[in-house]
Amino acid sequence: MADGRKGTYPVAETVAPVVAEYARRLPGCLTAPAAVDSIPWRRSDMDVNREVLLDLHYRMLRIRLFEEEAGKLSEAGRIPGALHLYVGEEAVAAGVMAHLTDADQLTSTHRGHGHLVAKGGDFKKMYAELFGRSTGYCKGKGGSMHIADVDLGMLGANGIVGGGPPIAIGAAFANKYRGTRNVTVCFFGDGASNEGTFHEAANMAALYRLPVVFVCENNGFGEFTPQAKHQAIRDVADRATSYGMPGLIVDGMDAVAVYESAGEAIERARRGEGPTLLEAKTYRFFDHVGVRGMGVSYRADEEVLEWRKRDPLLSFEQKLVETGVTDQGSINALRERVLFEINEAITFAQESPFPDESQLLEDVYAVSGGVR
Amino acid sequence: MTTAEAPAAREIPYVSAVNEAIRQLMEADPDVFIAGEDVAGYGGVFGVSRGLLGEFGERRVVDTPISESAIVGLGVGAAAAGLRPIIDIMFMDFMGVCMDEVVNQMAKMRYMFGGKARLPLTLHTMAGGGMNMAAQHSQCLEAWFCHIPGLKVVMPSGAYEAKGLMVAAVRDDNPVIVVNNKLSLGMKAHVPEELYEIPLGKANIVRPGTNFTIVATGRMVHESVRAAEMLTADGLDVEVIDPRTLQPFDTETCVESVRKTHRALVAHEAVRFGGIGAEFAAQIQEEAFDYLDAPVGRVGAPFAPVPFSPALEKHYIPTADTIAAEVRRLLGKQG
């Protein structure tokens, strides 16, 4: 990415005077736009054991195929409502979730399918939910934006940007209250990092030394607005210092790098040393909502193609083959197997009944202890 | 009701009743904790959590930063993870700061997740004027929350109700907002020492009567009882009903009363326009239209923010006089 940040963020020129003024007033706050390769993101040399590499690959592959098929169904008009797809960001979910048990929790975002897939979500229940069927995770009452599996510790995708952080610290509070070693991971985006809820939750988490890891999936856009137009900083991790917690920046297109950094942060939380803010630099291959992603008004195709060269799944597969961890034939076979599973799940979903009208008023209140 | 018990019955103030309820609930259930601004070291700015820190320690009595969204979110996440939090929002006016957590997260999580989440969360707050605290520390905003499916809302009128409803709220497996009244905190009543529950959704006939029904909430229950006494001079025998729980509302008890009395008025401290009384009145006329001899009246605050000056505030909050005057107006009499 020779032209660096300018190429990555086509609007940088228009905000350059603002950035310059900000830098003049607060020297050292902002650095000049740098070439992406010169930014000291944490990267890996794939120096982890084979089981971990295959685990990361499997989680990423499952997310990618789940999302691509969901995108096709949505474009074909077969899934109602809006989908926010995770394609391009798979390394983040995979690298983090590889450290978590079913007893660890996470709060997700509107772009939440990948988190649930990586946490071990059931394809059948997931597709059934996207199709609005009674066999879905939420019995068809939540859909894509509220997909959740409380038993797996997945405390919900969330339709409100910044909705997750306060809930995450609550779950972390419960873990600490009960004296467990469980951690809660709070996924949020660069956009949500401007919400008051994030700041309130980060402050409280650090104050109480809660076992929570804030994972910022910085995909460069808050919905359709580029990061340079929604915040004057480049690195969300810079904010960590102001709450009294460590901030790490990691290459979010590199599953091993995420795995290693997330591992440090999660272990720190388990040891009772409090929260960490981990910022993963990543990219959304598709649009904020739906699939398209290229030939759009808010970003240049060249930018998308640059990031696609660093595709977290394909580049990882290439490295796995190059280093002899696995071979292309095995990867192809695995891909076929996952696709078979997906097709089975889609069939299951489509053959499942819609929720009956009698379900409309169910689940508004818990009956136990309640009056109606 | 146990209001007419032996004379030896213990009387304690409203604030002590809430405090006792929280203490006993925490003694009974290790999953109950309280968190909020100044609840620990200071004991709550109204004294609701006084003494709890010494008894239960910092783990269960948690002072928070002034961060209402994170405070409520702390409760939502902790409840979803199996605890039974009592979350304190110091003044009801501050709910504006954490509306997303209350309306979009806390209220809807169970439904959105297809019934798989359980949120035994109590959100305790203080409402009401009369203390010259002006527009941002005096409001009664209960109607906002009664409008949101997934929430329950209680509004205790006195010490007995304050303890019994708090116990029911904490034991309920749903999010319950407890709206206590600042001006009533010193008001004494008989309160049993043991833990007891006032079932949610059950109204109480505070003063039985035969030819007029007043449905009043919170502190207006007492103003309505006073109004009822004043109206005996007009030959009226007024029944006063305290719904106690606003959501779910006990329509049946109110409608049954109106079928007997044929006239009704609802009274609350909140602004009249769009207040919860409008919903009560609508339910009464829907269910008892053929029994009504007059429109269902409504008494509430005028459509203005709560003023600061005592000279203005005394004209703002409804009193027994305004309630009695409205009853007379409904009956075609000059007040």
Side-chain angles (χ1 to χ4, degrees):
Chain A
M1 210 165 294
D3 55 351
R5 191 168 168 78
K6 192 176 161 192
T8 310
Y9 299 93
V11 296
E13 272 174 35
T14 60
V15 298
V18 179
V19 172
E21 171 60 18
Y22 203 79
R24 190 184 62 74
R25 283 187 283 127
L26 295 167
C29 175
L30 287 170
T31 51
V36 166
D37 288 339
S38 74
I39 299 171
W41 298 346
R42 288 184 165 208
R43 293 219 171 76
S44 71
D45 51 8
M46 308 276 284
D47 187 22
V48 290
N49 72 47
R50 185 170 182 272
E51 280 67 37
V52 170
L53 294 172
L54 294 177
D55 173 300
L56 294 172
H57 174 244
Y58 187 52
R59 286 179 207 256
M60 285 198 286
L61 183 65
R62 288 177 71 83
I63 299 171
R64 174 66 56 93
L65 298 179
F66 179 92
E67 292 291 65
E68 284 180 347
E69 295 307 309
K72 286 180 205 164
L73 291 165
S74 178
E75 290 211 308
R78 288 165 67 194
I79 288 179
L83 293 188
H84 304 87
L85 298 167
Y86 196 70
V87 173
E89 305 183 21
E90 294 91 342
V92 188
V96 171
M97 242 62 86
H99 294 283
L100 302 185
T101 70
D102 289 358
D104 296 314
Q105 301 108 333
L106 68 105
T107 60
S108 179
T109 68
H110 57 285
R111 203 172 304 290
H113 308 164
H115 301 139
L116 183 51
V117 171
K119 191 85 174 17
D122 179 334
F123 279 171
K124 286 184 177 167
K125 290 182 185 172
M126 288 189 73
Y127 277 117
E129 191 57 35
L130 299 191
F131 276 96
R133 307 300 166 115
S134 62
T135 52
Y137 261 117
C138 313
K139 300 194 274 190
K141 292 174 177 172
S144 163
M145 252 189 291
H146 305 295
I147 204 157
D149 184 347
V150 177
D151 296 334
L152 262 183
M154 160 51 165
L155 300 179
N158 208 309
I160 305 296
V161 171
I167 297 170
I169 63 161
F173 179 91
N175 292 336
K176 186 172 177 173
Y177 188 91
R178 292 194 155 143
T180 71
R181 276 174 56 83
N182 300 332
V183 300
T184 309
V185 175
C186 171
F187 289 95
F188 65 103
D190 47 309
S193 79
N194 297 331
E195 289 277 10
T197 50
F198 165 66
H199 300 276
E200 292 188 16
N203 176 58
M204 213 183 266
L207 179 71
Y208 299 152
R209 293 168 79 85
L210 295 178
V212 59
V213 178
F214 294 99
V215 176
C216 178
E217 298 175 313
N218 183 348
N219 64 16
F221 294 89
E223 300 200 8
F224 298 98
T225 300
Q227 189 195 359
K229 280 205 163 184
H230 75 63
Q231 55 192 190
I233 56 171
R234 186 186 62 195
D235 299 324
V236 175
D238 285 352
R239 293 184 166 163
T241 317
S242 68
Y243 309 115
M245 70 173 87
L248 304 173
I249 303 173
V250 66
D251 181 355
M253 308 304 268
D254 178 343
V256 174
V258 175
Y259 175 82
E260 288 176 339
S261 295
E264 282 175 36
I266 289 166
E267 270 314 303
R268 190 171 171 271
R270 288 199 204 285
R271 287 195 304 265
E273 292 169 22
T276 303
L277 171 52
L278 176 63
E279 178 185 6
K281 304 283 191 184
T282 183
Y283 199 79
R284 191 182 72 204
F285 289 177
F286 295 164
D287 274 343
H288 164 60
V289 61
V291 174
R292 193 161 156 158
M294 299 266 284
V296 291
S297 62
Y298 68 98
R299 67 184 187 187
D301 286 353
E302 299 76 47
E303 175 182 316
V304 182
L305 293 170
E306 279 299 315
W307 280 93
R308 275 193 176 271
K309 283 182 195 163
R310 304 180 58 241
D311 184 311
L313 176 67
L314 301 183
S315 64
F316 193 73
E317 287 182 343
Q318 197 182 330
K319 281 183 197 168
L320 290 181
V321 173
E322 280 168 12
T323 53
V325 173
T326 187
D327 55 66
Q328 193 58 50
S330 302
I331 289 173
N332 294 344
L334 189 61
R335 178 175 286 260
E336 288 311 311
R337 212 182 78 193
V338 174
L339 275 174
F340 180 78
E341 197 186 329
I342 284 172
N343 285 324
E344 264 192 338
I346 291 170
T347 304
F348 167 82
Q350 287 188 297
E351 287 175 355
S352 290
F354 280 107
D356 187 76
E357 190 185 340
S358 64
Q359 276 294 299
L360 192 62
L361 299 180
E362 292 287 314
D363 304 320
V364 179
Y365 293 98
V367 177
S368 146
V371 289
R372 63 171 164 183
Chain B
M1 274 297 286
T2 53
T3 44
E5 280 193 1
R10 181 187 68 144
E11 291 205 343
I12 60 171
Y14 192 124
V15 64
S16 307
V18 181
N19 180 267
E20 184 172 275
I22 298 171
R23 173 178 288 106
Q24 291 178 343
L25 286 159
M26 289 180 71
E27 280 165 358
D29 184 349
D31 285 343
V32 176
F33 71 95
I34 180 166
E37 293 156 11
D38 296 321
V39 298
Y42 194 71
V45 297
F46 299 101
V48 160
S49 50
R50 191 162 296 154
L52 299 180
L53 177 64
E55 195 168 334
F56 300 103
E58 284 186 340
R59 176 172 163 268
R60 299 181 66 193
V61 186
V62 185
D63 269 336
T64 63
I66 304 169
S67 303
E68 284 79 6
S69 289
I71 296 168
V72 178
L74 183 88
V76 174
L83 298 184
R84 199 167 282 272
I86 299 171
I87 296 299
D88 186 58
I89 296 295
M90 193 184 282
F91 286 82
M92 189 170 210
D93 314 70
F94 303 169
M95 295 283 245
V97 188
C98 53
M99 279 300 267
D100 181 66
E101 290 303 315
V102 176
V103 169
N104 283 323
Q105 313 297 341
M106 176 173 130
K108 296 181 173 57
M109 191 184 262
R110 179 178 179 81
Y111 190 82
M112 292 189 306
F113 295 0
K116 298 205 188 90
R118 199 178 59 116
L119 284 182
L121 168 63
T122 300
L123 192 55
H124 171 268
T125 193
M126 285 290 179
M131 297 171 81
N132 317 128
M133 299 188 82
Q136 297 172 344
H137 290 75
S138 304
Q139 295 171 89
C140 294
L141 301 171
E142 62 278 2
W144 291 2
F145 303 101
C146 293
H147 186 65
I148 304 299
L151 301 180
K152 294 184 181 182
V153 182
V154 303
M155 202 163 189
S157 54
Y160 175 83
E161 289 77 15
K163 182 171 177 183
L165 289 169
M166 189 72 186
V167 173
V170 172
R171 286 180 177 168
D172 198 276
D173 280 344
N174 297 285
V176 183
I177 300 182
V178 176
V179 186
N180 279 328
N181 183 275
K182 296 192 273 290
L183 210 57
S184 306
L185 290 174
M187 192 184 280
K188 286 186 175 179
H190 164 61
V191 176
E193 289 187 36
E194 71 273 12
L195 271 177
Y196 62 94
E197 226 175 282
I198 294 177
L200 301 183
K202 288 273 179 250
N204 178 37
I205 299 169
V206 179
R207 184 191 194 275
T210 55
N211 55 18
F212 201 99
T213 300
I214 299 178
V215 180
T217 64
R219 203 171 64 76
M220 289 302 116
V221 171
H222 306 288
E223 295 297 323
S224 298
V225 169
R226 278 182 51 215
E229 279 153 16
M230 290 156 63
L231 289 163
T232 54
D234 298 56
L236 283 173
D237 181 19
V238 177
E239 181 151 294
V240 177
I241 298 177
D242 173 7
R244 302 191 293 198
T245 308
L246 311 186
Q247 177 62 266
F249 177 59
D250 183 355
T251 309
E252 202 182 316
T253 298
C254 298
V255 164
E256 205 172 295
S257 173
V258 173
R259 283 181 178 151
K260 174 179 70 182
T261 63
H262 308 295
R263 292 176 183 87
L265 175 144
V266 295
H268 53 58
E269 195 182 322
V271 168
R272 184 173 178 271
F273 188 99
I276 193 64
E279 176 65 31
F280 294 173
Q283 297 225 7
I284 290 168
Q285 68 85 13
E286 279 172 356
E287 299 291 323
F289 184 74
D290 290 340
Y291 295 83
L292 283 167
D293 289 343
V296 180
R298 288 183 295 144
V299 167
F303 200 66
V306 185
F308 162 64
S309 171
L312 289 173
E313 195 179 19
K314 73 176 180 190
H315 296 296
Y316 183 87
I317 302 172
T319 62
D321 287 334
T322 44
I323 293 166
E326 182 60 13
V327 169
R328 291 192 186 106
R329 195 189 67 80
L330 285 166
L331 295 170
K333 300 179 180 184
Q334 288 307 309

